[in-house]
Amino acid sequence: WHLSRALPFADDGVVVKWFGTNTDIDEQKQLARQKDDFLGIASHELKTPVTSVKAYAQVLGAMLSQEGEEKKAAMVMKMDAQLNRLTNLIGDLLDVTKINSGKIRFNKEWFDVNAAVQDVVQDLQHTTSRHILVMDFADAGELNSDKDRIGQVLTNLITNAIKYSPHANRVIVGTRREQDNVIVSVEDFGIGIPKDKLDRVFEQFYRVGGSKQHTFPGLGLGLYISNEIIRREGGKMWVNSEEGKGSVFCFSLPVTDKKVADT
Ligand code: ADP
């Protein structure tokens, strides 16, 4: 009885249509693709006007400053800072669509790890007055990878470390080499992550949430994008954390063959 209800039979008893997992998976895939297409188009369309408004805000800020209108110039600078946030959010949405459609591209080049990490740390030090970003560098050598993308990953980790440790005053950024891998770590002394949520923080749109977290803004995309970048560059990302004490996010990248072509 059950079977005859689930499977439509032709008069000769042959099953004419099969319902079940295949159909469901196809539908799910199509929905996921539609969501990604929408995200791609929406974020692309948002990018153009935001870029334009940002350019006007910068010109306006400079004009006001020249005219000695410092108060007004400061307000425009605040607008500009918020526009940067918006630009970053749109950039994250675009990156997610690039990752999910397999269209993310990497431009590999040889670079000195400690110099690159130092550049990012010094840039981000300007964004926080509470935290000191401590550099704990060992000899990490050179990597053949996409320097901008690796910088983006590090920026995500340090920005999170600052954001999720509002009462701490230190973030430690470390580099080291272990056999054929470069390891970069970002340690904070902030709110930490509950043990049962640790596995999930690299998922798309996942945020730990809860009463302690609802005040922190974000889309839950930074770690997903970071993990995917590192994975696609042949590396690994992981986290150790204790709730109420802090977190250490690390990534390792393999040092591939030396610059044979250059020598
Ligand atoms: P977002 O910060 O925009 O929410 P992320 O993908 O960067 O997104 O992080 C996902 C979630 O992981 C965050 O919402 C937060 O709950 C948790 N998280 C990430 N980094 C930290 C950290 N350094 N300390 C505590 N929680 C963190």
Side-chain angles (χ1 to χ4, degrees), residues 103-114:
K103 285 190 187 135
I104 188 163
R105 297 278 167 268
F106 296 99
N107 302 312
K108 282 184 190 282
E109 58 178 311
W110 282 98
F111 63 88
D112 182 81
V113 175
N114 285 351

Side-chain angles (χ1 to χ4, degrees), residues 160-161 163-164 188 191-193 201 206-209 213 217-224 247 249:
N160 276 352
K163 178 163 74 173
Y164 295 106
D188 70 62
I191 62 169
I193 301 166
V201 293
Y206 184 80
R207 309 198 71 217
V208 171
Q213 292 229 351
L219 287 179
L221 290 177
L223 287 179
Y224 170 73
S247 313
F249 281 86

Side-chain angles (χ1 to χ4, degrees), residues 3-4 7-17:
L3 196 66
S4 63
L7 303 174
F9 292 99
D11 290 344
D12 57 3
V14 173
V15 176
V16 290
K17 195 169 178 192

Side-chain angles (χ1 to χ4, degrees), residues 67-85:
E67 290 161 13
E69 299 269 16
E70 288 310 328
K71 264 192 182 161
K72 289 180 188 163
M75 283 166 79
V76 176
M77 292 298 283
K78 282 195 176 153
M79 278 170 56
D80 189 50
Q82 292 302 319
L83 286 168
N84 282 343
R85 279 189 59 195

Side-chain angles (χ1 to χ4, degrees), residues 18-263:
W18 181 265
F19 294 98
T21 14
N22 281 345
T23 324
D24 293 348
I25 288 173
D26 282 349
E27 259 170 35
Q28 275 172 19
K29 272 192 186 158
Q30 201 184 338
L31 273 177
R33 209 171 303 132
Q34 278 174 353
K35 186 201 77 186
D36 284 342
D37 286 351
F38 169 74
L39 271 185
I41 294 166
S43 39
H44 192 77
E45 288 300 315
L46 285 167
K47 199 176 163 180
T48 317
V50 171
T51 311
S52 159
V53 173
K54 197 173 149 52
Y56 281 115
Q58 278 173 348
V59 175
L60 184 61
M63 280 167 70
L64 288 170
S65 214
Q66 252 179 11
E67 290 161 13
E69 299 269 16
E70 288 310 328
K71 264 192 182 161
K72 289 180 188 163
M75 283 166 79
V76 176
M77 292 298 283
K78 282 195 176 153
M79 278 170 56
D80 189 50
Q82 292 302 319
L83 286 168
N84 282 343
R85 279 189 59 195
L86 199 51
T87 310
N88 288 339
L89 289 174
I90 294 169
D92 277 357
L93 289 173
L94 275 172
D95 278 346
V96 166
T97 53
K98 278 187 205 157
I99 287 168
N100 291 352
S101 63
K103 285 190 187 135
I104 188 163
R105 297 278 167 268
F106 296 99
N107 302 312
K108 282 184 190 282
E109 58 178 311
W110 282 98
F111 63 88
D112 182 81
V113 175
N114 285 351
V117 172
Q118 185 177 348
D119 282 350
V120 173
V121 170
Q122 282 175 344
D123 265 1
L124 290 175
Q125 184 63 75
H126 298 302
T127 67
T128 172
S129 45
R130 173 185 277 275
H131 298 80
I132 294 170
L133 306 182
V134 181
M135 290 182 256
D136 179 18
F137 291 178
D139 189 8
E142 292 196 339
L143 264 180
N144 184 21
S145 194
D146 188 319
K147 189 176 162 191
D148 290 342
R149 287 287 183 194
I150 302 306
Q152 179 185 355
V153 171
L154 190 59
T155 302
N156 275 338
L157 296 185
I158 298 176
T159 311
N160 276 352
I162 293 170
K163 178 163 74 173
Y164 295 106
S165 67
H167 303 297
N169 53 18
R170 215 161 37 114
V171 169
I172 304 173
V173 182
T175 61
R176 63 184 193 272
R177 176 107 177 227
E178 269 178 23
Q179 284 107 32
D180 291 335
N181 290 295
V182 166
I183 298 179
V184 179
S185 60
V186 177
E187 179 173 14
D188 70 62
F189 304 90
I191 62 169
I193 301 166
K195 285 269 167 297
D196 60 324
K197 306 281 172 28
L198 273 179
D199 285 351
R200 304 206 55 195
V201 293
F202 298 110
E203 286 173 19
Q204 203 174 157
F205 295 113
Y206 184 80
R207 309 198 71 217
V208 171
S211 59
K212 282 204 192 106
Q213 292 229 351
H214 74 274
T215 45
F216 301 104
L219 287 179
L221 290 177
L223 287 179
Y224 170 73
I225 295 168
S226 301
N227 187 38
E228 287 298 319
I229 290 174
I230 295 299
R231 210 168 57 82
R232 278 155 212 255
E233 287 285 74
K236 284 201 183 85
M237 185 175 265
W238 66 95
V239 55
N240 289 312
S241 185
E242 202 173 327
E243 209 177 353
K245 293 227 163 123
S247 313
V248 190
F249 281 86
C250 297
F251 64 85
S252 73
L253 284 165
V255 183
T256 41
D257 23 37
K258 271 310 259 176
K259 296 183 234 182
V260 184
D262 300 356
T263 49

